[in-house]
Amino acid sequence: MNASSPENAAIGGIDWASLSSPELARRVGPESVALLPLGAIEQHGAHLPLSTDVDIADGLVAAMRERVAASRDLLILPTVAVGSSLEHGDFAGTLSLTPETAIAHLVDIGASVARAGVRRLVLFNSHGGNKAVVDLAALKLRERHGLLVVKANYFRFTPPDDALPAEELRHGLHGGALETAMMMHLAPHKVRQAELGEAVSLGAHQERAGRTLLPEGDAGFAWMAQDLHPSGVVGNATLATPAMGERLVAHFAARLASVIEEAYCFDLAQLRERSPQ
């Protein structure tokens, strides 16, 4: 029996789309949590597929389902596969929504979740280009529908100790060891082993020259992927191993499970109504 079937709903949540409309209406309660995974279809160099961000989002959600408390009413929405990928638009295969469209898309999904009676929504994002979209959509949903909207970006989770060199964590932002290792664990058949290599980021060159203005950090600059490296990826994919990927997936999935637990236990009375004008 599949863990996502209605009969097995107590094990690691249930897929929203697997329920009938009356089943969904009956099960939604004040503590229900909806989880919306967000990915992207975009270039990840020659060694990883266009589906990398979606594969990682879905893989982390699957691993989370083995860790989340069975008593929690977790409803897993269909993954949003296409996000805002403007920074990768000059490379073949990238699909992208404009930021305005991406924000509106998430707000409309969130509004539908609110109409179903769910008041707790976790936006779980696996693509850096979606971060600003998630921030704005979450605020709109809080303002319009009074939802608790949790913004969870796995790449903002603290990684396990000594999983990767510090410089790789800082600069291997796209297609580097971290993403490659997780793909080696989650979808090894999709990794083009012969294409693994190292692409040193403009950010790493800046840092080595004593500069503090980097692509990301306390003061960053807007960048297109080719600005950081002509290949469109940055980082040292040769450092990746399946064992590292397994460790990363387990670590990030455990953190996601704890985020869902916090969302479930959050006192919604702390979200105050607007003051009278």
Side-chain angles (χ1 to χ4, degrees), residues 32 54 84 124 171:
S32 297
V54 173
S84 179
F124 178 57
H171 300 296

Side-chain angles (χ1 to χ4, degrees), residues 4 6 14 33 38-39 81 86 90 142 145 151 162 183 186 196 199 201 204 215 224 231 242 266:
S4 64
I14 188 169
V33 177
L38 308 171
L86 301 184
D90 290 335
R142 167 67 187 94
H145 301 288
K151 304 172 292 182
D162 302 323
M183 285 297 289
L186 294 170
L196 296 178
S201 171
M224 298 292 285
S231 68
F266 190 90

Side-chain angles (χ1 to χ4, degrees), residues 123-190:
L123 302 177
F124 178 57
N125 177 36
S126 68
H127 165 51
N130 285 339
K131 185 179 182 300
V133 166
V134 167
D135 286 344
L136 288 169
L139 186 56
K140 284 176 178 286
L141 288 168
R142 167 67 187 94
E143 185 266 337
R144 293 180 186 178
H145 301 288
L147 298 178
L148 169 69
V149 186
V150 178
K151 304 172 292 182
N153 302 280
Y154 91 79
F155 46 84
R156 298 295 188 196
F157 293 169
T158 302
D161 292 339
D162 302 323
L164 287 166
E167 183 174 90
E168 179 66 16
L169 287 173
R170 285 196 305 278
H171 300 296
L173 301 175
H174 190 69
L178 188 142
E179 285 186 311
T180 302
M182 287 196 288
M183 285 297 289
M184 285 178 171
H185 172 62
L186 294 170
H189 60 289
K190 293 186 177 184

Side-chain angles (χ1 to χ4, degrees), residues 26 45 60 67 89 108-109 115 142 176 185 202 219-220 252 274:
R26 285 195 299 268
L60 290 175
R67 294 163 172 81
D108 284 349
I109 293 173
R115 283 196 299 273
R142 167 67 187 94
H185 172 62
L202 170 62
F252 292 141
R274 287 179 171 177

Side-chain angles (χ1 to χ4, degrees), residues 156 170-171 173 202-203 206-207 210-223 228:
R156 298 295 188 196
R170 285 196 305 278
H171 300 296
L173 301 175
L202 170 62
Q206 287 278 98
E207 186 175 74
R211 306 285 193 266
T212 60
L213 182 57
L214 306 175
E216 303 291 335
D218 62 351
F221 56 87
W223 51 267
L228 304 189

Side-chain angles (χ1 to χ4, degrees), residues 2-167:
N2 191 299
S4 64
S5 67
E7 295 86 351
N8 246 357
I11 301 174
I14 188 169
D15 292 332
W16 180 287
S18 73
L19 296 165
S20 71
S21 180
E23 287 169 345
L24 180 67
R26 285 195 299 268
R27 74 175 293 124
V28 167
E31 295 176 330
S32 297
V33 177
L35 174 70
L36 180 61
L38 308 171
I41 302 295
E42 63 180 29
Q43 69 87 20
H44 276 77
H47 63 296
L48 293 175
L50 297 165
S51 64
T52 292
D53 288 337
V54 173
D55 292 337
I56 289 175
D58 289 343
L60 290 175
V61 169
M64 172 275 298
R65 293 175 81 157
E66 300 173 1
R67 294 163 172 81
V68 73
S71 60
R72 300 321 188 204
D73 185 23
L74 174 63
L75 297 161
I76 301 171
L77 292 153
T79 301
V80 176
V82 178
S84 179
S85 297
L86 301 184
E87 68 275 27
H88 301 289
D90 290 335
F91 291 85
T94 296
L95 303 179
S96 182
L97 304 175
T98 65
E100 296 81 6
T101 299
I103 292 167
H105 186 58
L106 296 188
V107 170
D108 284 349
I109 293 173
S112 298
V113 169
R115 283 196 299 273
V118 178
R119 294 200 61 202
R120 305 164 192 267
L121 174 63
V122 177
L123 302 177
F124 178 57
N125 177 36
S126 68
H127 165 51
N130 285 339
K131 185 179 182 300
V133 166
V134 167
D135 286 344
L136 288 169
L139 186 56
K140 284 176 178 286
L141 288 168
R142 167 67 187 94
E143 185 266 337
R144 293 180 186 178
H145 301 288
L147 298 178
L148 169 69
V149 186
V150 178
K151 304 172 292 182
N153 302 280
Y154 91 79
F155 46 84
R156 298 295 188 196
F157 293 169
T158 302
D161 292 339
D162 302 323
L164 287 166
E167 183 174 90

